[in-house]
Amino acid sequence: MQDTLSKEQAFEDKIARGQVIEPKDWMPERYRKQLIRMMSQHAHSEVVGMLPEGNWITRAPSLERKLVLLAKVQDEAGHGLYIYSATETLGADRKELIDQLLAGKAKYSSIFNYPTTNWADIGAIGWLVDGAAIVNQTALAKCSYGPYSRAMLRICKEENFHNKQGYQIMARMMRGTKQQQEMAQDAMNRWWWPALMMFGPSDKNSPNSEDLMRWKVKLYSNDDLRQRFIDRTVPQAEAIGLTIPDKELKWNDKTRHYEHGEINWEEFNAVISGNGPCNKQRMNQRIKAHEDGKWVRQAAEAYAAKHYN
C-alpha cells in the first residue's frame, strides 16, 4: 500500500512539473482507463468521420475537388490508425476497441451523425468541424501522455489543410451564383450548432473532467475551447459574407469575446444516445466496411504468419 502511495505521489509530482508520461512509466489505473476511453473515442471519430465525406468523392464538382477530398478522407483513416496505435501503448487491444464500436458500445463524435445533403456540407465540415477539431487537438498536443501528444502533432498539421480546404469551398460558393450562396448559408445554418456541441457540455456536468484537468490530459475546459472556436470562426464567416445562425451572438468589449445563445443539449444527448439523424446509417456503413475488409486482414495475418513467425 505504501509503495503504491509513493508511486502515486511521484506520478502526481511529475505531472505537476509538466513532464510527459511514457508507456513504461508507472501510472494510476484510472489515468490509464481514462486515456483509453478518451483516445479510443477519438480514434473511432476519425474513422466514422470518413463516412459523411466519402459519399461525396464521386460527386465532387471537379476532378481537382475529387482528388483533394479523396486525400482528405485518406488522412482521416491515417489519424484513426495513429490514435489506435497510441492507445495500444496503454495495453488496449485494437480489435476489442473496434468490436466495441461496431457493437454500439463505444461513443464517437456526435457531429458525424448528421447528413451531408449537398456539396456545401463538405465545405462546412472542413471549415467548421475540422476547425473545432483543431482547437481541441492543438491543446491535446501538449497533454501529459507522450504517445497521444505526439500523434496530435502530425494530425494537427493535416487538419489545418482540411480546414483551409473547407473554408475555400465556402468562400468560392459565396462568390458564386445566388443558388450557391444560399447553399453555403444553408450548410452554415445546419452545421454551426452541432460544431459547438463537439466540445461537449460544461465541465461541471462531466464526471471525468476534474481528473483529466488535474492530470493535464485536458488543459482547458470544454467551454474555454468552445469560446476559442467561436472567437476565431465568427470573423472568418463575416469575411466571406456568411451569417452565424445565432440571434444572441454579440461581441463583448469588456471580455473581448463573443457571447452566444444557448446550445440545445437535449439534441446533443439524443444524438450521442443513438437517436441522431444518421446514427444507424453510420453504424451499418461501418459494419459493412469492416466485413468487406475481412479478406484483407486475413491475407495480412497469413503473410505475417508465414514470413515473421
Side-chain angles (χ1 to χ4, degrees):
M1 181 67 177
Q2 186 63 38
D3 184 52
T4 300
L5 289 174
S6 63
K7 287 180 178 178
E8 286 185 358
Q9 187 59 54
F11 172 84
E12 297 283 355
D13 290 345
K14 192 171 185 178
I15 294 290
R17 291 193 299 270
Q19 292 179 273
V20 174
I21 304 300
E22 296 295 347
K24 291 184 178 180
D25 294 341
W26 186 92
M27 63 188 73
E29 185 62 14
R30 180 165 169 77
Y31 177 84
R32 188 183 74 85
K33 287 184 176 180
Q34 286 282 33
L35 277 170
I36 291 174
R37 177 190 61 80
M38 186 173 173
M39 292 166 67
S40 62
Q41 286 182 11
H42 190 166
H44 298 331
S45 299
E46 297 285 355
V47 173
V48 176
M50 295 188 291
L51 298 174
E53 292 180 297
N55 292 334
W56 281 90
I57 292 174
T58 59
R59 293 181 284 170
S62 69
L63 178 59
E64 178 187 4
R65 290 297 185 192
K66 284 179 170 63
L67 292 171
V68 172
L69 185 57
L70 179 61
K72 184 189 177 189
V73 172
Q74 289 176 317
D75 283 348
E76 306 296 0
H79 297 173
L81 293 176
Y82 299 154
I83 304 169
Y84 280 132
S85 295
T87 311
E88 287 178 316
T89 66
L90 291 160
D93 182 272
R94 186 182 309 198
K95 183 180 183 302
E96 289 182 8
L97 298 178
I98 294 173
D99 287 345
Q100 289 170 8
L101 171 66
L102 300 178
K105 297 178 181 178
K107 288 185 171 63
Y108 56 87
S109 181
S110 60
I111 195 77
F112 299 119
N113 289 312
Y114 290 87
T116 46
T117 60
N118 60 56
W119 178 249
D121 287 16
I122 303 304
I125 289 176
W127 174 37
L128 299 176
V129 175
D130 291 331
I134 289 168
V135 170
N136 188 44
Q137 290 169 1
T138 50
L140 289 172
K142 301 175 183 177
C143 79
S144 62
Y145 188 58
Y148 196 20
S149 65
R150 289 190 289 272
M152 287 302 103
L153 293 176
R154 177 167 179 173
I155 289 174
C156 285
K157 292 178 181 178
E158 293 178 351
E159 291 288 7
N160 270 298
F161 281 105
H162 302 170
N163 182 239
K164 290 181 174 69
Q165 171 242 7
Y167 188 59
Q168 183 197 50
I169 290 174
M170 299 296 273
R172 286 193 177 181
M173 293 189 77
M174 290 303 292
R175 294 199 303 266
T177 65
K178 182 180 179 181
Q179 183 182 17
Q180 289 173 322
Q181 293 170 5
E182 290 173 350
M183 286 173 62
Q185 183 62 58
D186 175 63
M188 179 73 177
N189 294 344
R190 288 182 289 105
W191 288 95
W192 174 252
W193 291 104
L196 297 189
M197 295 177 195
M198 285 179 65
F199 298 98
S202 296
D203 289 274
K204 62 184 179 182
N205 298 322
S206 170
N208 302 310
S209 286
E210 184 178 353
D211 283 343
L212 293 174
M213 295 282 283
R214 176 165 57 89
W215 288 327
K216 297 184 180 180
V217 176
K218 286 180 64 172
L219 301 182
Y220 305 97
S221 72
N222 293 345
D223 287 330
D224 285 342
L225 293 172
R226 186 167 21 249
Q227 189 66 59
R228 287 188 184 196
F229 171 73
I230 294 170
D231 290 346
R232 147 187 168 147
T233 308
V234 172
Q236 294 175 348
E238 292 174 345
I240 59 176
L242 282 167
T243 301
I244 303 291
D246 182 357
K247 294 180 180 179
E248 297 180 42
L249 185 74
K250 61 181 178 180
W251 176 254
N252 187 318
D253 280 325
K254 291 184 179 179
T255 63
R256 309 300 296 171
H257 294 296
Y258 285 96
E259 297 176 0
H260 62 87
E262 183 64 28
I263 295 170
N264 186 348
W265 293 116
E266 289 184 7
E267 177 183 332
F268 171 80
N269 289 325
V271 174
I272 65 172
S273 298
N275 299 313
C278 296
N279 290 64
K280 292 181 181 178
Q281 178 185 346
R282 298 289 182 248
M283 275 297 91
N284 288 339
Q285 288 175 315
R286 189 63 239 149
I287 291 169
K288 183 179 184 302
H290 188 75
E291 291 176 349
D292 289 347
K294 184 177 181 179
W295 70 271
V296 178
R297 296 191 298 276
Q298 290 176 335
E301 289 169 358
Y303 182 87
K306 180 178 180 180
H307 294 278
Y308 298 109
N309 287 343

